[in-house]
Amino acid sequence: MHKDTKRTRSSRAVRRVVCALLVGVLAVFQSMPVTATSQMEKEKKEAQKKLEEANEKAKQAEREKNAAQAQVNNLNSELTELLSEISLLEADIAAKEIQIEQAQADYEAAKATEEKQYEAMKKRIKYMYEKGDTEYLDVLLKVESMADLLNKSEYITDIYNYDRRMLKEYQETKLQVQQYQEELENDRAEMEGMQIEYKAQQGNLETMIAKKRTEVANFDQQLAKAKQDAAAYANTIAKKNEEIRKAQEEARKREEARRQEEARKQAEAASKNKTTPKKGSGPGTTTKSSGGTAEGRAVADYGLKFVGNPYVYGGTSLTNGADCSGFVQSVYKNFGISLPRTSSEQRSVGVGVDYADAQPGDIVCYAGHVGIYIGNGKIVHASSPSTGIKVGNATYRSILAVRRVLQ
């Protein structure tokens, strides 16, 4: 009984040890997956973080790439536009130089003719003064027969007609000299305006090149590409303007023929009714706009109110002085319409229309210049320091665009 009790106690002790060992082993085995799982979770989180960082870097690289491409595209656009304007201005200035040379030659030739005719008139007047009123009487006193009288009468008529013709030719030449002089002065004023704009555009180009060269790695390549695009664009504009000029010349010839026919009819009617034809009754003799809409004519007519006021570079005052874009901006401001400040910015307002469809109030855009169309191929614009705000031919230089703000 005692032995059994001892054996029983020993067996219980063994079982307790075994249980303790089993518990320890189980604890070890249970703790091992928890540690491995924690490590795996940690590594997974680190991997996810690195992936997210890599994705963000990729997105940032894409954004930088897009920004760089946008900068290049914007650079090409700005350079192409500016280079095109400069190229067109150079062509317009060269053409204007030829016009000035021709106008100068025409003026000098007409002036020489005028002086020659003037000298002949002086001699004739001197002779008439010295003879007094006896020239025709002396001729008549030498009449010997009726036939001789008729001959002498014809001779006197010829002398009278000669004098009248000399006077008329002199007056026509004098008027022609005045017209040539006005054309020459107008050409020189237009040249003055273009040179101011050319200088400004050259300054803008130099500033842009200096700035972009430090910002864009392959700037020289972009500049070369922009020059090619600008040359192609300028060539397209030149062809378009040649078509415009031809159409304008044909329209001018038709209008001139119509005016001559109207003048002939008026002269015939005046001859029959023995009245003097009215001057200034033909079309184009007023400074009012024509055609288009009432709103457009209102804009054009408002601009015409300031003809004769000064041109001031950088100015926006319709009375004290404005440059071309300042003039257009201020005219439209009177009608509650806000336009950007520069001529290049105004070239993108409203909608584009063909020059053939231009209406009063439309903005006619040139390289570095703008004006307001008033109809009949004319614009009102702040032209140059020497001529100020004036009316001129819309096709006096290359047209880049016609923009319609009033719909």
Side-chain angles (χ1 to χ4, degrees), residues 175-217:
L175 179 61
Q176 190 178 50
V177 168
Q178 182 180 351
Q179 290 173 342
Y180 282 143
Q181 186 175 13
E182 289 174 355
E183 288 176 7
L184 181 59
E185 291 173 354
N186 183 64
D187 287 340
R188 285 174 174 166
E190 290 174 349
M191 173 68 86
E192 178 189 24
M194 285 190 286
Q195 287 175 334
I196 290 173
E197 292 150 9
Y198 181 75
K199 184 178 180 181
Q201 297 295 65
Q202 281 283 25
N204 292 338
L205 179 62
E206 291 171 5
T207 300
M208 181 184 292
I209 288 176
K211 182 175 182 291
K212 297 298 183 182
R213 198 180 290 280
T214 62
E215 297 176 352
V216 181

Side-chain angles (χ1 to χ4, degrees), residues 354 362 371 404:
D354 289 338
D362 291 346
R404 181 164 298 161

Side-chain angles (χ1 to χ4, degrees), residues 94-390:
K96 187 59 66 177
E97 287 175 346
I98 295 173
Q99 288 181 11
I100 289 174
E101 289 177 2
Q102 184 61 52
Q104 182 71 42
D106 291 341
Y107 170 73
E108 291 176 355
K111 189 66 177 174
T113 302
E114 179 193 19
E115 292 172 355
K116 183 178 179 181
Q117 290 175 339
Y118 178 69
E119 289 301 319
M121 289 282 293
K122 278 203 310 184
K123 289 180 180 178
R124 178 62 180 162
I125 292 171
K126 181 181 178 182
Y127 173 77
M128 293 288 289
Y129 176 78
E130 290 174 348
K131 293 291 291 184
D133 296 329
T134 64
E135 180 184 15
Y136 298 126
L137 181 58
D138 289 344
V139 172
L140 292 174
L141 288 175
K142 295 177 181 178
V143 172
E144 297 178 354
S145 63
M146 183 58 68
D148 193 23
L149 175 61
L150 293 175
N151 290 333
K152 293 292 191 297
S153 297
E154 290 178 4
Y155 174 69
I156 292 173
T157 301
D158 289 342
I159 293 176
Y160 174 77
N161 290 337
Y162 172 76
D163 289 339
R164 293 284 298 173
R165 187 167 61 253
M166 282 186 65
L167 179 60
K168 183 179 179 182
E169 289 176 356
Y170 175 72
Q171 290 173 335
E172 290 174 349
T173 302
K174 193 173 183 64
L175 179 61
Q176 190 178 50
V177 168
Q178 182 180 351
Q179 290 173 342
Y180 282 143
Q181 186 175 13
E182 289 174 355
E183 288 176 7
L184 181 59
E185 291 173 354
N186 183 64
D187 287 340
R188 285 174 174 166
E190 290 174 349
M191 173 68 86
E192 178 189 24
M194 285 190 286
Q195 287 175 334
I196 290 173
E197 292 150 9
Y198 181 75
K199 184 178 180 181
Q201 297 295 65
Q202 281 283 25
N204 292 338
L205 179 62
E206 291 171 5
T207 300
M208 181 184 292
I209 288 176
K211 182 175 182 291
K212 297 298 183 182
R213 198 180 290 280
T214 62
E215 297 176 352
V216 181
N218 61 340
F219 176 78
D220 289 335
Q221 294 178 6
Q222 300 301 325
L223 180 60
K225 175 68 166 55
K227 287 181 177 179
Q228 291 179 353
D229 294 341
Y233 177 69
N235 186 51
T236 300
I237 291 295
K239 289 181 178 178
K240 183 66 176 177
N241 275 270
E242 184 60 28
E243 294 174 2
I244 290 174
R245 276 189 283 269
K246 286 181 179 178
Q248 192 79 359
E249 180 62 20
E250 290 175 0
R252 187 194 66 78
K253 289 180 179 178
R254 289 195 299 270
E255 179 64 16
E256 183 63 24
R258 191 190 68 78
R259 289 184 183 181
Q260 289 179 356
E261 179 63 17
E262 183 176 324
R264 185 187 65 78
K265 290 179 179 179
Q266 286 183 352
E268 288 180 355
S271 177
K272 290 179 181 178
N273 300 324
K274 296 183 180 180
T275 59
T276 304
K278 295 181 180 179
K279 293 183 179 180
S281 59
T285 58
T286 65
T287 54
K288 299 285 286 184
S289 62
S290 62
T293 64
E295 293 83 359
R297 289 194 301 274
V299 169
D301 289 338
Y302 183 73
L304 286 167
K305 290 181 179 180
F306 304 98
V307 169
N309 287 350
Y311 171 101
V312 174
Y313 185 76
T316 58
S317 173
L318 296 173
T319 53
N320 297 325
D323 59 17
C324 62
S325 55
F327 170 73
V328 173
Q329 183 189 53
S330 296
V331 167
Y332 268 94
K333 184 179 180 181
N334 181 71
F335 295 88
I337 298 173
S338 178
L339 295 182
R341 177 63 183 87
T342 67
S343 60
S344 59
E345 291 172 328
Q346 290 177 4
R347 198 160 66 239
S348 62
V349 300
V351 297
V353 297
D354 289 338
Y355 172 73
D357 299 322
Q359 297 179 2
D362 291 346
I363 301 174
V364 183
C365 307
Y366 309 88
H369 191 73
V370 286
I372 298 175
Y373 192 72
I374 63 173
N376 292 325
K378 303 286 186 180
I379 58 170
V380 57
H381 60 140
S383 175
S384 69
S386 61
T387 55
I389 298 172
K390 58 170 284 189

